[in-house]
Amino acid sequence: MLQLEVPQFYTYHSGGKNINFFIIKMNDKVLSFLDACASCYPKKLGYRYESGYVICRACNMSFSTHKLEKGLGGCYPIKIEGRTEKGKYLIPVSTLGKMADKF
């Protein structure tokens, strides 16, 4: 079970790459993001979580978990689509595969 407002990090292995992402439960919905951003992804360092913020390990920019859904571009985590079905959160493998170039 997801802890409210704390990101859970995962890795999907595909084609010799580790595609890292995290999911976070905010109020009554679940959101998913790549553990990468459009700016710093070439460094392949991802984010860390600290006291209500995800922080880019490459440039040290921090983002409130409450504002992740509305963030776009720059160093914000790249949002990926997922859905809740029968009590489980699902991200299509094809969605993760399309993002392999970020890793």
Side-chain angles (χ1 to χ4, degrees), residues 1 4 6 19 44 48 59 62 72 77 79 82 88 99:
M1 181 169 200
L4 187 62
V6 175
I19 302 167
K44 299 183 185 346
R48 71 181 187 279
C59 71
S62 62
L72 183 65
K79 189 168 181 2
K88 293 184 180 184
M99 301 297 183

Side-chain angles (χ1 to χ4, degrees), residues 17-30:
K17 291 197 173 200
N18 293 329
I19 302 167
N20 302 311
F21 62 97
F22 64 90
I23 59 175
I24 185 167
K25 184 175 183 179
M26 299 300 295
N27 298 315
D28 50 342
K29 68 165 112 176
V30 179

